[in-house]
Each structure stands twice: as C-alpha cells, then as structure tokens.
Amino acid sequence: MDKHYLTPLFAPQSIIVFAGQVDDPSSLSPRARALHQALTAQPYAGALRFVDTRTTGTLADLAQTGYDLAIIALPAPEIAAALEIAGRMTCRAALVITSGITAEGAAELKKIARREGVFLMGPNGLGLQRPHLQLNASAAGPLARAGSLALVSQSGALTASILDWASQNGVGFSSVVSLGPNTLVDMAQVLDFLANDRHTQSIVLYLEGISSARPFMSALRSAANAKPVVVLKAGRKPAGNAAAQTHSGAIVGSDDVFDAALRRAGAVRVRSFVELFSAAKCLASRYRPVGNRLAVVTNGGGPGVLAADWLNEIHLELGRLSPEPAGLLQPQLPALASLSDLIDLSEEATPAHYRAAIETAARDRQIDGVLAIFSPKEGIDASEVAQALAEVKRGMGKPLLSCWMGDASVVAGRGILNDAGIPTFRTPEAAVGAFGNIATFYKNQQLLQQTPPPLSAMAKPDIEGARLIIENVLSERRQVLTEMESKTLLSAFHIPVTQTILARSANEAMMIATQLGFPVALKIDSPDISHKSDVDGVALNILNATGVRDTFADMMQTVSRLKPGARINGVTVQTMARTRRGREVCVGLVTDDPFGPVIAFGAGGTMIELIDDRAMELPPLNQFLARHLIERSRVAETLGAWRGAAPADISALEQILLRVSEMVCALPQLREMDINPVIVDESGAVAVDARIVIDHAPQAVSGRANTYSHLAILPYPARYENVWPLRGGGEYTVRPIHPDDAQMLQKMMSHLSQESRYFRFISSMVELPPSMLARFTLIDYDREMALVAVFRERRPGATGHMEETERIVGVSRYVTNPDPSSCEFALVVADDFSGKGLGTRLMLSIMDVARDQGLSEIEGLVLAHNPGMLKLMKSLGFSIKPFAEDPDFKLVTHAL
C-alpha cells in the first residue's frame, strides 16, 4: 500500500505488448514498428511479452496470466478489444500509443478502462520512457540517457525535439511522458507520481491546456513543493472579453490568469522553446531556490555590461562583493581588474584568477549566484578556465552558470562544463535569463507556502445577509446588481463605501443631498448600463440643491436618449469622498475557465482599460498575498509619498482585498466585480462605485461539506480546529497541518524512539528527508488531510525567562485512494504523550474529516508486532485481518 497507484504504469515488473505480428515488421504500423524497436533496443529487466490478438488459441491463455502494464499499438478498430483483454488479464495499467483516434473513440476507451479498473494513458501520445529502468515504451526515438529531470509534454513533436536536444547537451531524464489530448491518466496524475518519484529531482512541463483546475493545481503545488517545476504553455490568449460586463472582465486575459495560477503553485513559467532549454539546463544541475542577486565574473567589460543590462531588464539585481571580501580578493587579481560593480578580471585573467573570484563570490552572503563569462583571449586556454570552474563547483552551494562566448575555440571548454553539470550558454542574456528562472522559483515558493483560511481574523461578515441579496436578484432573473445592491453586498463584508441613497425624482434627490451634505455626486442607477460615464451618467462635486435638481433632470434625459431601451431605477445620491490627494485604484474579480474566480488589482478611474494595469491572484488571500498583489501592480509606485502627498494607507487596501477574498470564498455566485474607484489616502480607503455580476452557484460535489468547489485552491480548513482536554491535566489543540509546521514536525520526528519511528515509517531514519517533510506539511486538503496535536508548554528561553512554546505531539493523516471512496491512514504520537488519549482523539478526528469529505471507508497497515496500535484499532471498532501481500502486516479497516 506504500507504492504509488501509478507504479504499474511507470515501474512495471511485467509488460505485455499488443502490436500485431512483430515477427513480420512489414505488417506493422509505423507506430507499432517504432515501439517494437524501442522496447527491444536495450535489455529490459522485467518480463516482456509480445502477442498478436488475432492469433487463435492465445486469448484464453492470456486471460489466465497477470501483467502490470499492457502496451497497445494496434489499428484503431482493434484497440478496444485489446484493452478489454488487458482488463481480464488483471493489468493495472495500459498505454495506448496509437495515433489518429477520435474524441469519441477515446471516450469509449476511457469507459472500458474505468469498467476494468485499468489506469489508461493515451491514445494519441508518443508513450513514455524510464531510462533508469531501461524502459522505452515510446515512439519518440532512442532511449534518453538517465538523469534526474522529468519531461511531461502534451506535444509529441516537442517531446522528440527536446530528446534530440538533450542527447547533444548531456541532459538526462528520470521520465519522459508524451500525453495525448484524450488520456484518462492526465497531467495532474502524472505530476502526482513524479512528486513522489525518488529518481526525479526536477520537472519540465509543456502544456497546451488543462480541463480541470482543482486537481491540476493540487498536483502542481504538491510537485513544486518537493522539486522545481518549469512550465512552457502554448496558445497565449490576449486579454479582452467582448461579453464582459465589468472593466476587470474586459482587461483580464486567460493567459494572465494562467500566470497567476503558476505563481501561486510555486512553479516557473517560461515563454519560449529556447528559454525552456535554458531552464532545463539549470534544473538538471539541481540548483535549489535562491534570491535574485547575481554576481558577474568576466574577462571582458562588454559582455559583462550586456549581462548587467539584462539583469536590470528582467528586474534582478547585480550581485556586488561586500567591502571586506573585495579587499581580500583585489591583490590576487591583475592590476587592471575592477570590482566596483562587475567582477571584471580584465583581459589578463587566468584560470587561477577565475577560481579566486568565484570562490570569493560564493562565500559572500550578499550574492545569491555567480555567472562566469569567458571571451576568447590570446594565450588563455578556454578549456583550462572551464576546468577551474568544474573544480570550484564541487564545493559551491550557490548556482554557478557560465557563458563561453565564441565558437570553435571554446567548444572543448563547453564540453568540460557540461560534463561538470555547469549550465553553459552562448550569450550573456540567455545565462541571465536562466538565473532569472531560478530566482523566480524562489519567489514563487514563498507564494506556495501561503495557506489562507476562507475567512480572515477580522470582524465576521454578514454572509447570510449577502446571500439574501443575491437570492433576491436571481429570483428576479437578473444577473447584474445595481450600484445600491452592490454597495450593500460590500457593506455586508465590512468594505467601506460612500453613503449612497436612491432618488426617483428631482425633488427627492434635492432632499437626500441636503441631508447628506454638499458636495454630492449623482449617478444613474440601471441594471442595463455597465459603464455609467459612457452615457453621461455620472456628475461629481455638485455644490447646492439647485444643481442637484438640474443635474437630475439633465441626466435622466441624456441617458434615456443615449440608451433608449435601458431600465432606469432612478439616480443615486452619494457623498463625495473627502480626500485632497487620494489615489484611485480598482479592485476586481473575474471568473476564468478553468481556474474559476481570480482577484485583480490595479489603477482605477475612467481610463482603467486604457491604462491596462492589472495584477492578479487566485483566492483565498492572506495579508502576505494581498501585499504581494498590490506590489505587482504599476499603480503601487504612486501609493508612496509623492509630490507632497503623504503615503497611502496600504493596510486599508490590504483589508479590502482580504474582504473581497472572503466574498469570493463564501459566495460562489459571484462572476465579475468592479470596485472602481477605490479612493485611498493616508487616512484610509473607501469604495466610491461598484458593479457586481452574479449567476447561480456551480453544483457542489455530492456528499461533501464546504468543498469550495468553485475555487482552484482549497482554503485552509480552519473549521476542523478544536481544543481538547489532556488526560492527566492540561489541554491541546487538534488542527489541520500547514507549511509552517515543518520544523515542529521534524523536531517531533527526531525525538521519537527508534521503535516508534519504525512502527510509523518501517524505517530507522532519524529525521524526515527535505522532500518528505515538504510533502507532509504542504498538502492538498481536498484529497488528503493531516491533523496535528499541538501542546503549549512553558520553558526557559535564551534569556533565561520562561517562554511559551508550541510543540507537535501527535499526527494523524489520511490520503484518498484512487477509487476514490476510501482512504489510507497513518498515526504517530510522541513517546512522552503516549497513554494520554491523543491516539484515540486523533483517529476519531481524522475519521470525522474523512466522513465529512464523503469517503466511505478508512484503512491502514499495522505491523503485526505493534500491539499498542492493534489494541487501539480494536477499541475503535476497526476490522483486523491478515494482509495477503505481506504476513508481517495486518490490514485494518473501518466503514465511515
């Protein structure tokens, strides 16, 4: 049960191949012929059998035989029959590499695979390679060399091109997967396997599209949390939705949303095929996330300046040596060397000079990575300089990249660098761009670690009141809320709005304005007018009652003429936002297919579409994400002190963004929203105008509570947090795990007894490996859950004073099985808290969560010589049976 469910596909011990008459290659299709050659070109360690389903007398024999993987490369009419045979042979996985299968044909194959319980990859893909297993089950050419980089591609042509490039650049792969457009085993499931694959250290994806955002984001976040992921996506779509009823909907394109999704998942996006290769080089070198300060070591000023220019262009920093290291390095360099900005070694630089400079930069805490540039010089051997880099690299903990400029004279040097695992590039710009990918990965990892709850810690919103407003609008068969309704909805979530009252006549408008106090603003109120300014439906700074009367009459007449069919409720009268140096911003919401709701922030006002300033983030948000969203916008530059104006209240904007996040989580009916403008100054922020578009909520998953199925990222499930009394006195908190728990979890692991560690992990490891620790603490709450028991204790601190600290003293978790109606659990309790009721409480709590998620059964494996756990299972009503696959274990199950 500890093996991944796709192990039969990616690491089969036995394979049966349906490809036709392989003893007569002329009778085979091109795909089948390529597959036969690929499978037999190298010795595969497992059992491999080729069969022809058209040969009489073999089907009955086959049905009695079991194989892990069936590979099918038959003509389209024969695939369904072969897949059914594979199912009767109890094959757990099937790979169909036949091309040209229609969507209808692929749907029929999926139906058969589901019925037979087979994990189906294909058709219309090139297959897969697993070089370390000597397995080439593909039509993508020769088997790639073994390495730590996984490639998953939705394009067969691109797969073949990358493999051809890799063979010439010394890049090896742990896995190569070419997915067709209609496969049952999709991108998300492949990512899930690779995230747990010990042979894979980094992942490259080529995407043309995804069908379901939640499983894709879940798998991508899990993978990117454990290892670097770089994505190249085709089909970038420009902004502009003609059907949009808000400014935000008009300026936000689906490609912008995809960018936001990848950032939040902790992955890195590249924009071109060339950049993908650059990223692949760095990933293959296993460089971990770093900051954005790159030192440039060069023997020529021109190439160094080009590198520095490109660093500035892509918003990275030139890494400069600190004064002390620079002072120690200077005497070791040629007389003409300069260390002021670039580490310019001059034309006299030798291999020893490069070595000294790179070693110094590697030790400097003000530098995150080093780029070594070499230009051919008379009397200097490029290969010897490359060898110096190769020797330095062995002791470096920071990224080391190289740019060997020129051609014939540096070819041998490039070969040395490739063999040493040092990414090498032909131009300074390409090298800097590759480092930018590493730095972006570091930044995006910070976003990945954020797991906000659906509601913030601020005052509780009136969710029921907001739902009543929405239900009333939908009952009238409307989708666009009036300004009054929109502002009432915002007020329910404590978003500050200008006081607004609807007037249906000029006389009523005068009385309202007099009560509110001048100056006031008048705005047309109509569900049919999206942009009021376009029809002269906005009048500002009206100073007296006469002005209100005349403006009301003029506005009604003008709007009726410009929009003769529009329904007009009247005119809203509202106080003017009293701010002399306020900045106008816009907070918006769009709904993307397939990523769902996306929160946008940028410059506001009437020229929003012309300015085209938009930054986006997927909900839910917390304060870190809200601040990051504001900082990514262009309007952020105007929010500081500017031309005598005091800095704007950024915290007020953050609170509005957090409130909008709460709205998005709690109200799945929201489709589009403009809060434009929000006027912000040093004293706060207020929403002056708002327009909201709604529709009926998407159907929730049957049998599951609060699934937030409209969101691509599930919020932190704070509802499962509870405080329980501790047997013997005191109390502890049981709550879902989050990424910040990593250190506490590792500390608990290191303090477990050897017996407890073995009972939990069937291993004597003293601490969790980094990849496992990451996987255990950043989880997808939709398909798994981990609950931690947290105990607060008082201990002497570093200063000798008593300090309250938190400690994890127990963990229960489950992971949903592929079926997906059951789950597998695990449990561990700190030795010094054994016998205090934690194990029982953690099991009951995790069972409650599984039941709440619609699961019907929970199961687990317990060592037969673990009497304490078996006793606990029996007391909780679990069924205990022998485990057929291993007599050392007992299988325990419980219906939920």
Side-chain angles (χ1 to χ4, degrees):
M1 295 170 72
D2 58 340
K3 289 184 178 180
H4 194 276
Y5 65 91
L6 289 183
T7 297
L9 176 63
F10 287 103
Q13 296 183 354
S14 55
I15 301 174
I16 187 165
V17 184
F18 300 92
Q21 295 176 309
V22 295
D23 53 351
D24 180 15
S26 64
S27 68
L28 301 178
S29 67
R31 280 281 175 100
R33 194 179 310 118
L35 174 66
H36 180 259
Q37 292 172 352
L39 284 169
T40 57
Q42 57 282 317
Y44 172 61
L48 180 63
R49 180 180 179 184
F50 291 85
V51 298
D52 182 2
T53 57
R54 293 167 294 186
T55 304
T56 58
T58 63
L59 298 185
D61 296 335
L62 293 175
Q64 303 300 318
T65 310
Y67 288 87
D68 287 334
L69 173 63
I71 304 176
I72 303 172
L74 295 171
E78 302 174 31
I79 296 175
L83 187 57
E84 288 183 338
I85 293 170
R88 291 203 297 272
M89 295 168 59
T90 65
C91 288
R92 297 288 306 282
L95 173 63
V96 178
I97 67 169
T98 306
S99 61
I101 306 300
T102 63
E104 293 77 13
E108 180 62 26
L109 295 180
K110 288 182 182 179
K111 185 177 178 181
I112 295 171
R114 289 192 182 100
R115 186 181 69 225
E116 300 291 340
V118 174
F119 295 108
L120 172 65
M121 180 179 287
N124 301 326
L126 291 184
L128 63 89
Q129 296 186 5
R130 294 277 281 170
H132 68 281
L133 296 176
Q134 293 288 287
L135 174 60
N136 186 1
S138 77
L143 183 66
R145 69 184 285 181
S148 61
L149 178 65
L151 167 66
V152 188
S153 171
Q154 290 180 330
S155 165
L158 198 76
T159 303
S161 299
I162 291 178
L163 290 178
D164 185 57
W165 167 85
S167 66
Q168 300 300 314
N169 284 270
V171 174
F173 296 90
S174 63
S175 303
V176 177
V177 183
S178 172
L179 290 173
N182 307 112
T183 179
L184 186 59
V185 174
D186 59 11
M187 180 71 73
Q189 291 169 296
V190 173
L191 275 172
D192 187 71
F193 175 84
L194 294 175
N196 295 279
D197 179 34
R198 63 186 179 89
H199 297 285
T200 299
Q201 299 296 326
S202 46
I203 303 170
V204 168
L205 304 181
Y206 172 77
L207 289 176
E208 293 180 348
I210 62 170
S211 56
S212 181
R214 173 72 71 80
F216 172 74
M217 287 295 291
S218 166
L220 183 60
R221 282 164 60 83
S222 175
N225 187 45
K227 49 201 72 172
V229 180
V230 172
V231 181
L232 172 63
K233 181 184 179 292
R236 295 202 291 270
K237 185 178 178 183
N241 178 0
Q245 300 184 71
T246 61
H247 292 295
S248 296
I251 67 173
V252 173
S254 62
D255 203 56
D256 303 311
V257 177
F258 191 84
D259 266 350
L262 289 187
R263 278 195 303 270
R264 189 68 179 275
V268 175
R269 183 178 186 180
V270 295
R271 301 284 174 169
S272 69
F273 192 60
V274 173
E275 198 178 352
L276 182 68
F277 286 154
S278 298
K281 284 184 180 182
C282 292
L283 292 180
S285 300
R286 303 190 188 187
Y287 289 140
R288 304 308 299 169
V290 295
N292 65 347
R293 300 165 299 185
L294 179 67
V296 178
V297 179
T298 178
N299 66 344
V305 171
L306 288 175
D309 286 347
W310 197 244
L311 280 167
N312 183 65
E313 183 72 21
I314 63 175
H315 308 295
L316 299 177
E317 291 184 33
L318 179 64
R320 296 172 173 85
L321 287 173
S322 303
E324 184 177 348
L328 295 174
L329 176 63
Q330 188 76 60
Q332 305 176 50
L333 301 180
L336 296 178
S338 170
L339 303 179
S340 56
D341 287 312
L342 302 170
I343 304 177
D344 186 351
L345 305 179
S346 82
E347 295 185 355
E348 301 173 6
T350 65
H353 296 138
Y354 270 94
R355 179 197 295 271
I358 294 171
E359 287 177 342
T360 300
R363 290 191 297 265
D364 195 327
R365 294 185 177 181
Q366 301 301 312
I367 291 172
D368 299 310
V370 180
L371 168 60
I373 303 176
F374 177 83
S375 303
K377 306 294 182 186
E378 188 68 31
I380 305 296
D381 190 330
S383 296
E384 291 181 3
V385 178
Q387 187 61 45
L389 262 67
E391 293 169 3
V392 171
K393 194 246 184 188
R394 298 189 191 111
M396 279 189 67
K398 298 176 181 178
L400 173 61
L401 294 80
S402 62
C403 172
W404 256 225
M405 301 185 72
D407 197 2
S409 65
V410 297
V411 169
R414 287 185 186 138
I416 293 171
L417 295 167
N418 279 329
D419 291 341
I422 299 174
T424 183
F425 304 89
R426 294 175 181 269
T427 67
E429 293 88 348
V432 170
F435 178 79
N437 291 328
I438 303 175
T440 298
F441 182 62
Y442 170 74
K443 287 194 300 183
N444 291 355
Q445 285 289 298
Q446 294 178 303
L447 302 182
L448 170 63
Q449 298 300 315
Q450 308 304 312
T451 53
L455 296 178
S456 69
M458 297 183 290
K460 188 176 180 181
D462 182 8
I463 296 176
E464 289 305 315
R467 287 172 178 162
L468 287 174
I469 296 170
I470 290 174
E471 289 170 6
N472 182 62
V473 173
L474 291 175
S475 69
E476 296 176 4
R477 298 185 178 182
R478 290 191 289 124
Q479 290 184 308
V480 181
L481 275 66
T482 65
E483 182 184 358
M484 288 285 292
E485 291 166 335
S486 296
K487 285 186 173 179
T488 303
L489 204 61
L490 297 182
S491 297
F493 283 81
H494 306 296
I495 295 176
V497 298
T498 52
Q499 189 173 1
T500 304
I501 302 175
L502 178 66
R504 302 185 184 276
S505 67
N507 188 53
E508 191 175 0
M510 283 194 301
M511 290 189 293
I512 292 170
T514 302
Q515 292 176 35
L516 291 178
F518 296 99
V520 296
L522 298 190
K523 298 179 184 177
I524 200 71
D525 188 87
S526 168
D528 301 319
I529 299 174
S530 299
H531 308 311
K532 295 182 278 289
S533 299
D534 295 350
V535 292
D536 292 336
V538 177
L540 305 176
N541 283 310
I542 304 172
L543 301 175
N544 51 52
T546 303
V548 169
R549 181 196 61 195
D550 295 342
T551 302
F552 184 99
D554 292 343
M555 184 178 293
M556 292 291 286
Q557 184 178 8
T558 301
V559 173
S560 297
R561 175 172 52 81
L562 295 176
K563 276 279 190 177
R567 294 167 291 173
I568 299 176
N569 300 323
V571 171
T572 60
V573 184
Q574 52 192 277
T575 54
M576 289 292 297
R578 298 178 184 274
T579 172
R580 191 170 62 87
R581 302 298 298 273
R583 288 75 146 178
E584 293 188 345
V585 300
C586 174
V587 176
L589 167 73
V590 296
T591 301
D592 176 77
D593 182 16
F595 287 104
V598 184
I599 297 171
F601 178 86
T606 57
M607 294 193 295
I608 175 174
E609 292 176 35
L610 181 64
I611 298 172
D612 194 22
D613 176 25
R614 59 187 185 275
M616 271 154 292
E617 193 63 75
L618 268 63
L621 302 181
N622 58 15
Q623 188 171 6
F624 178 90
L625 292 169
R627 176 65 64 100
H628 190 264
L629 176 59
I630 294 169
E631 290 173 348
R632 287 207 317 275
S633 68
R634 294 204 305 275
V635 75
E637 297 179 12
T638 71
L639 300 178
W642 180 67
R643 291 194 175 182
D649 186 353
I650 302 296
S651 64
L653 287 180
E654 290 174 359
Q655 289 184 22
I656 289 178
L657 287 169
L658 291 175
R659 290 301 191 182
V660 170
S661 176
E662 291 180 341
M663 292 178 69
V664 173
C665 292
L667 305 175
Q669 300 92 342
L670 297 179
R671 292 295 177 271
E672 293 181 37
M673 177 164 59
D674 268 349
I675 310 177
N676 179 40
V678 174
I679 297 181
V680 57
D681 60 13
E682 69 275 14
S683 60
V686 62
V688 175
D689 202 351
R691 185 172 182 81
I692 297 175
V693 181
I694 61 173
D695 203 347
H696 293 281
Q699 190 169 0
V701 179
S702 177
R704 301 179 68 173
N706 298 318
T707 58
Y708 297 98
S709 56
H710 61 297
L711 301 178
I713 299 175
L714 197 68
Y716 178 78
R719 65 187 182 279
Y720 294 128
E721 182 171 331
N722 291 287
V723 178
W724 298 97
L726 185 65
R727 190 181 299 166
E731 62 183 22
Y732 62 97
T733 301
V734 173
R735 60 163 174 78
I737 202 166
H738 53 66
D740 292 341
D741 292 328
Q743 286 188 336
M744 283 200 296
L745 186 64
Q746 188 71 280
K747 187 174 182 180
M748 176 191 169
M749 173 67 182
S750 65
H751 285 82
L752 288 175
S753 67
Q754 186 174 349
E755 182 182 57
S756 294
R757 281 197 295 269
Y758 187 79
F759 281 161
R760 168 60 181 90
F761 299 100
I762 321 299
S763 167
S764 58
M765 60 181 175
V766 178
E767 62 179 27
L768 298 172
S771 60
M772 185 181 291
L773 185 64
R775 194 167 72 246
F776 280 178
T777 52
L778 193 150
I779 65 173
D780 172 22
Y781 302 110
D782 198 31
R783 61 178 179 173
E784 59 184 310
M785 179 58 72
L787 299 177
V788 292
V790 180
F791 180 70
R792 291 183 177 177
E793 55 189 356
R794 293 180 62 81
R795 288 189 172 186
T799 60
H801 297 291
M802 297 299 292
E803 297 178 357
E804 189 174 80
T805 60
E806 286 191 337
R807 175 187 168 198
I808 290 179
V809 294
V811 185
S812 62
R813 67 175 64 238
Y814 76 74
V815 177
T816 305
N817 290 326
D819 40 40
S821 61
S822 65
C823 62
E824 181 181 354
F825 79 89
L827 173 69
V828 64
V829 174
D831 293 278
D832 56 332
F833 277 74
S834 180
K836 296 187 177 183
L838 265 71
T840 299
R841 173 49 53 199
L842 284 168
M843 281 304 303
L844 290 173
S845 297
I846 204 71
M847 291 165 68
D848 286 342
V849 175
R851 193 178 294 114
D852 196 37
Q853 293 297 307
L855 299 172
S856 60
E857 185 178 63
I858 188 168
E859 62 184 11
L861 287 179
V862 180
L863 280 166
H865 60 278
N866 186 353
M869 179 65 87
L870 292 173
K871 181 180 178 181
L872 174 61
M873 293 298 102
K874 186 175 180 180
S875 70
L876 292 172
F878 275 73
S879 169
I880 304 175
K881 300 177 181 178
F883 183 50
E885 297 180 23
D886 192 334
D888 289 337
F889 290 89
K890 298 290 186 181
L891 177 64
V892 299
T893 59
H894 195 297
L896 295 172

